Structures are given as structure tokens and as C-alpha cells.
Amino acid sequence: RPQQLDSEFVVIGAGVAGITSIGVLLDNQVLPKSLLWIDDEFNVGRLGQHYGCVPGNTKVRLLSKYFTSCEAFEINQHKHQFTFFTRDPNSWCYLSEVNEILSWITNKFLREITSEKGKVTAIQESNQCWEISVNNKTIRTKKLIL
């Protein structure tokens, strides 16, 4: 029988939605020790893998609002590190610039919360809990975000 691990919240996926989910949970006072983040690469999902050279179609001001409105991202204290924040707010940027910031946030979160690098092989509901199989382990949680 696989090893049993338990976590209050499990987030599967490290793309934009997974990163945002972690940020929202932390902003809503969910303790980092209550979170488990699972992904097979932690490389900003498909955005980080395939779309860096693609020009974005969202204005910089809207993306900037997204990055700075989540306190857990801590972007306001680190804006100077990213050329993205020097762009005209009414212009666009390449997705590689968005990826750079999301990668930085990912690495920050990986230092703060428990993570499991691996591919989820099964998810099933049992006794009002979710059982997630990853790396020959079964992780049990009541709160699962995909």
C-alpha cells in the first residue's frame, strides 16, 4: 500500500491558474503548512513551455494589476527586477515577460510551501476525501484545486 500523506489543501498544476490559486489561498490566511502543491515541472505550465515568443494580447496595465493585487506574490517589493514594469501601461508585452514574473513567483512559493514534483496518476473520491496518487504515494485531502 502506498505511503499516506495528508494536507488540508492540494493544488494540482503550476500554470497560471495553479499559481493564482496558491496566491489567493495565502491571501485568505490559509497557512503555508496547510498547502501541498503538485506539478511535474513547476515551469509555469504551457505558458512557460511553449508561448514565450508570442506577443500577449492583454494590456500591461491589466497584467500589472493582476501581479500587484495578490499580496502573496510580493511583486510590489520586487518590481525593479522586471523590465515588464517599465513598459507603457497601455502597450502589450511578450509572454516571455509574463513568464519571467510567474517563474519568480513559482520559485518564491516553492520556498514557502510543501511541494511534490511528479505526475498525478489517479484521483478518486473515498470517504468524503480526495485521494491523489503521485510518485507511488497517496495524498489525502478534503480540498482539491485542479
Side-chain angles (χ1 to χ4, degrees):
R1 183 164 170 92
Q3 177 185 357
Q4 295 283 321
L5 301 177
D6 294 297
S7 184
E8 184 179 352
F9 290 88
V10 172
V11 176
I12 298 175
V16 177
I19 295 165
T20 303
S21 296
I22 296 289
V24 168
L25 289 168
L26 292 171
D27 276 3
N28 282 282
Q29 278 60 68
V30 172
L31 297 175
K33 68 181 181 181
S34 300
L35 296 170
L36 175 64
W37 196 12
I38 302 172
D39 193 74
D40 57 345
E41 294 185 350
F42 292 102
N43 191 27
V44 192
R46 292 185 61 80
L47 176 70
Q49 296 169 7
H50 302 290
Y51 300 108
C53 62
V54 175
N57 61 2
T58 303
K59 297 222 184 241
V60 168
R61 71 179 149 75
L62 293 175
L63 289 168
S64 181
K65 185 176 179 180
Y66 162 74
F67 288 128
T68 59
S69 65
C70 181
E71 290 181 27
F73 288 173
E74 296 182 1
I75 288 298
N76 287 312
Q77 301 92 306
H78 299 277
K79 281 183 177 180
H80 64 280
Q81 295 180 31
F82 305 104
T83 56
F84 168 86
F85 291 102
T86 64
R87 289 196 170 275
D88 175 349
N90 291 312
S91 68
W92 57 271
C93 67
Y94 282 97
L95 294 181
S96 60
E97 293 175 73
V98 173
N99 184 63
E100 178 186 25
I101 298 168
L102 291 171
S103 292
W104 183 87
I105 295 166
T106 297
N107 289 325
K108 176 193 169 312
F109 284 166
L110 288 172
R111 291 188 301 272
E112 297 171 356
I113 65 173
T114 303
S115 62
E116 182 79 34
K117 191 171 187 176
K119 190 171 185 85
V120 172
T121 55
I123 300 172
Q124 63 184 16
E125 198 255 335
S126 175
N127 297 324
Q128 299 180 329
C129 282
W130 292 103
E131 293 182 347
I132 302 135
S133 300
V134 60
N135 296 334
N136 295 318
K137 300 175 192 171
T138 298
I139 299 163
R140 292 173 42 91
T141 186
K142 289 191 179 239
K143 300 170 187 166
L144 174 62
I145 299 173
L146 301 173

PDB file of all heavy atoms in Angstrom, residues 101-113:
ATOM      1  N   ILE A 101       8.015  36.725 -14.613  1.00  0.00           N
ATOM      2  CA  ILE A 101       7.437  37.089 -13.322  1.00  0.00           C
ATOM      3  C   ILE A 101       6.778  35.868 -12.675  1.00  0.00           C
ATOM      4  O   ILE A 101       6.957  35.610 -11.482  1.00  0.00           O
ATOM      5  CB  ILE A 101       6.430  38.247 -13.474  1.00  0.00           C
ATOM      6  CG1 ILE A 101       7.147  39.482 -14.015  1.00  0.00           C
ATOM      7  CG2 ILE A 101       5.757  38.553 -12.138  1.00  0.00           C
ATOM      8  CD1 ILE A 101       6.223  40.589 -14.471  1.00  0.00           C
ATOM      9  N   LEU A 102       6.022  35.112 -13.458  1.00  0.00           N
ATOM     10  CA  LEU A 102       5.362  33.917 -12.913  1.00  0.00           C
ATOM     11  C   LEU A 102       6.382  32.880 -12.445  1.00  0.00           C
ATOM     12  O   LEU A 102       6.152  32.189 -11.446  1.00  0.00           O
ATOM     13  CB  LEU A 102       4.405  33.325 -13.944  1.00  0.00           C
ATOM     14  CG  LEU A 102       3.162  34.183 -14.233  1.00  0.00           C
ATOM     15  CD1 LEU A 102       2.400  33.623 -15.429  1.00  0.00           C
ATOM     16  CD2 LEU A 102       2.262  34.283 -13.012  1.00  0.00           C
ATOM     17  N   SER A 103       7.500  32.764 -13.123  1.00  0.00           N
ATOM     18  CA  SER A 103       8.570  31.850 -12.678  1.00  0.00           C
ATOM     19  C   SER A 103       9.145  32.304 -11.348  1.00  0.00           C
ATOM     20  O   SER A 103       9.417  31.476 -10.460  1.00  0.00           O
ATOM     21  CB  SER A 103       9.686  31.782 -13.721  1.00  0.00           C
ATOM     22  OG  SER A 103       9.243  31.151 -14.877  1.00  0.00           O
ATOM     23  N   TRP A 104       9.330  33.599 -11.210  1.00  0.00           N
ATOM     24  CA  TRP A 104       9.838  34.146  -9.954  1.00  0.00           C
ATOM     25  C   TRP A 104       8.855  33.850  -8.815  1.00  0.00           C
ATOM     26  O   TRP A 104       9.257  33.420  -7.730  1.00  0.00           O
ATOM     27  CB  TRP A 104      10.070  35.652 -10.108  1.00  0.00           C
ATOM     28  CG  TRP A 104      10.667  36.273  -8.894  1.00  0.00           C
ATOM     29  CD1 TRP A 104      11.998  36.385  -8.582  1.00  0.00           C
ATOM     30  CD2 TRP A 104       9.955  36.858  -7.792  1.00  0.00           C
ATOM     31  NE1 TRP A 104      12.146  37.003  -7.364  1.00  0.00           N
ATOM     32  CE2 TRP A 104      10.901  37.305  -6.856  1.00  0.00           C
ATOM     33  CE3 TRP A 104       8.610  37.043  -7.509  1.00  0.00           C
ATOM     34  CZ2 TRP A 104      10.556  37.927  -5.667  1.00  0.00           C
ATOM     35  CZ3 TRP A 104       8.253  37.664  -6.318  1.00  0.00           C
ATOM     36  CH2 TRP A 104       9.218  38.103  -5.412  1.00  0.00           C
ATOM     37  N   ILE A 105       7.557  34.063  -9.060  1.00  0.00           N
ATOM     38  CA  ILE A 105       6.532  33.779  -8.055  1.00  0.00           C
ATOM     39  C   ILE A 105       6.526  32.286  -7.716  1.00  0.00           C
ATOM     40  O   ILE A 105       6.446  31.907  -6.538  1.00  0.00           O
ATOM     41  CB  ILE A 105       5.139  34.240  -8.534  1.00  0.00           C
ATOM     42  CG1 ILE A 105       5.099  35.763  -8.672  1.00  0.00           C
ATOM     43  CG2 ILE A 105       4.042  33.748  -7.594  1.00  0.00           C
ATOM     44  CD1 ILE A 105       3.893  36.291  -9.444  1.00  0.00           C
ATOM     45  N   THR A 106       6.618  31.435  -8.745  1.00  0.00           N
ATOM     46  CA  THR A 106       6.655  29.990  -8.518  1.00  0.00           C
ATOM     47  C   THR A 106       7.801  29.621  -7.588  1.00  0.00           C
ATOM     48  O   THR A 106       7.614  28.891  -6.606  1.00  0.00           O
ATOM     49  CB  THR A 106       6.787  29.236  -9.859  1.00  0.00           C
ATOM     50  OG1 THR A 106       5.630  29.493 -10.650  1.00  0.00           O
ATOM     51  CG2 THR A 106       6.962  27.743  -9.651  1.00  0.00           C
ATOM     52  N   ASN A 107       8.990  30.118  -7.873  1.00  0.00           N
ATOM     53  CA  ASN A 107      10.150  29.788  -7.046  1.00  0.00           C
ATOM     54  C   ASN A 107       9.991  30.308  -5.621  1.00  0.00           C
ATOM     55  O   ASN A 107      10.390  29.638  -4.659  1.00  0.00           O
ATOM     56  CB  ASN A 107      11.427  30.318  -7.691  1.00  0.00           C
ATOM     57  CG  ASN A 107      11.778  29.521  -8.932  1.00  0.00           C
ATOM     58  OD1 ASN A 107      11.553  28.317  -8.989  1.00  0.00           O
ATOM     59  ND2 ASN A 107      12.294  30.188  -9.937  1.00  0.00           N
ATOM     60  N   LYS A 108       9.395  31.469  -5.473  1.00  0.00           N
ATOM     61  CA  LYS A 108       9.110  32.017  -4.144  1.00  0.00           C
ATOM     62  C   LYS A 108       8.172  31.090  -3.383  1.00  0.00           C
ATOM     63  O   LYS A 108       8.431  30.734  -2.239  1.00  0.00           O
ATOM     64  CB  LYS A 108       8.495  33.414  -4.289  1.00  0.00           C
ATOM     65  CG  LYS A 108       8.065  34.050  -3.006  1.00  0.00           C
ATOM     66  CD  LYS A 108       7.197  35.260  -3.301  1.00  0.00           C
ATOM     67  CE  LYS A 108       6.509  35.809  -2.102  1.00  0.00           C
ATOM     68  NZ  LYS A 108       5.819  34.874  -1.254  1.00  0.00           N
ATOM     69  N   PHE A 109       7.080  30.673  -4.037  1.00  0.00           N
ATOM     70  CA  PHE A 109       6.119  29.779  -3.381  1.00  0.00           C
ATOM     71  C   PHE A 109       6.749  28.427  -3.051  1.00  0.00           C
ATOM     72  O   PHE A 109       6.455  27.841  -2.009  1.00  0.00           O
ATOM     73  CB  PHE A 109       4.881  29.576  -4.251  1.00  0.00           C
ATOM     74  CG  PHE A 109       3.917  30.741  -4.265  1.00  0.00           C
ATOM     75  CD1 PHE A 109       2.916  30.795  -5.218  1.00  0.00           C
ATOM     76  CD2 PHE A 109       3.989  31.767  -3.338  1.00  0.00           C
ATOM     77  CE1 PHE A 109       2.010  31.846  -5.240  1.00  0.00           C
ATOM     78  CE2 PHE A 109       3.092  32.827  -3.350  1.00  0.00           C
ATOM     79  CZ  PHE A 109       2.097  32.860  -4.301  1.00  0.00           C
ATOM     80  N   LEU A 110       7.621  27.927  -3.920  1.00  0.00           N
ATOM     81  CA  LEU A 110       8.257  26.635  -3.658  1.00  0.00           C
ATOM     82  C   LEU A 110       9.138  26.675  -2.409  1.00  0.00           C
ATOM     83  O   LEU A 110       9.347  25.651  -1.761  1.00  0.00           O
ATOM     84  CB  LEU A 110       9.068  26.171  -4.872  1.00  0.00           C
ATOM     85  CG  LEU A 110       8.241  25.715  -6.067  1.00  0.00           C
ATOM     86  CD1 LEU A 110       9.135  25.466  -7.278  1.00  0.00           C
ATOM     87  CD2 LEU A 110       7.421  24.472  -5.735  1.00  0.00           C
ATOM     88  N   ARG A 111       9.634  27.855  -2.066  1.00  0.00           N
ATOM     89  CA  ARG A 111      10.421  28.002  -0.828  1.00  0.00           C
ATOM     90  C   ARG A 111       9.519  28.082   0.399  1.00  0.00           C
ATOM     91  O   ARG A 111       9.987  27.883   1.522  1.00  0.00           O
ATOM     92  CB  ARG A 111      11.310  29.247  -0.906  1.00  0.00           C
ATOM     93  CG  ARG A 111      12.445  29.128  -1.906  1.00  0.00           C
ATOM     94  CD  ARG A 111      13.414  30.302  -1.818  1.00  0.00           C
ATOM     95  NE  ARG A 111      12.788  31.601  -2.055  1.00  0.00           N
ATOM     96  CZ  ARG A 111      12.638  32.179  -3.249  1.00  0.00           C
ATOM     97  NH1 ARG A 111      13.060  31.560  -4.333  1.00  0.00           N
ATOM     98  NH2 ARG A 111      12.073  33.363  -3.352  1.00  0.00           N
ATOM     99  N   GLU A 112       8.245  28.398   0.208  1.00  0.00           N
ATOM    100  CA  GLU A 112       7.349  28.665   1.331  1.00  0.00           C
ATOM    101  C   GLU A 112       6.380  27.530   1.648  1.00  0.00           C
ATOM    102  O   GLU A 112       5.909  27.441   2.782  1.00  0.00           O
ATOM    103  CB  GLU A 112       6.524  29.927   1.043  1.00  0.00           C
ATOM    104  CG  GLU A 112       7.366  31.176   0.915  1.00  0.00           C
ATOM    105  CD  GLU A 112       6.575  32.374   0.426  1.00  0.00           C
ATOM    106  OE1 GLU A 112       5.380  32.239   0.097  1.00  0.00           O
ATOM    107  OE2 GLU A 112       7.169  33.459   0.368  1.00  0.00           O
ATOM    108  N   ILE A 113       6.026  26.732   0.659  1.00  0.00           N
ATOM    109  CA  ILE A 113       5.022  25.692   0.882  1.00  0.00           C
ATOM    110  C   ILE A 113       5.571  24.333   0.466  1.00  0.00           C
ATOM    111  O   ILE A 113       6.550  24.242  -0.273  1.00  0.00           O
ATOM    112  CB  ILE A 113       3.706  25.992   0.125  1.00  0.00           C
ATOM    113  CG1 ILE A 113       3.921  25.968  -1.376  1.00  0.00           C
ATOM    114  CG2 ILE A 113       3.108  27.319   0.556  1.00  0.00           C
ATOM    115  CD1 ILE A 113       2.640  26.082  -2.171  1.00  0.00           C
TER     116      ILE A 113
END
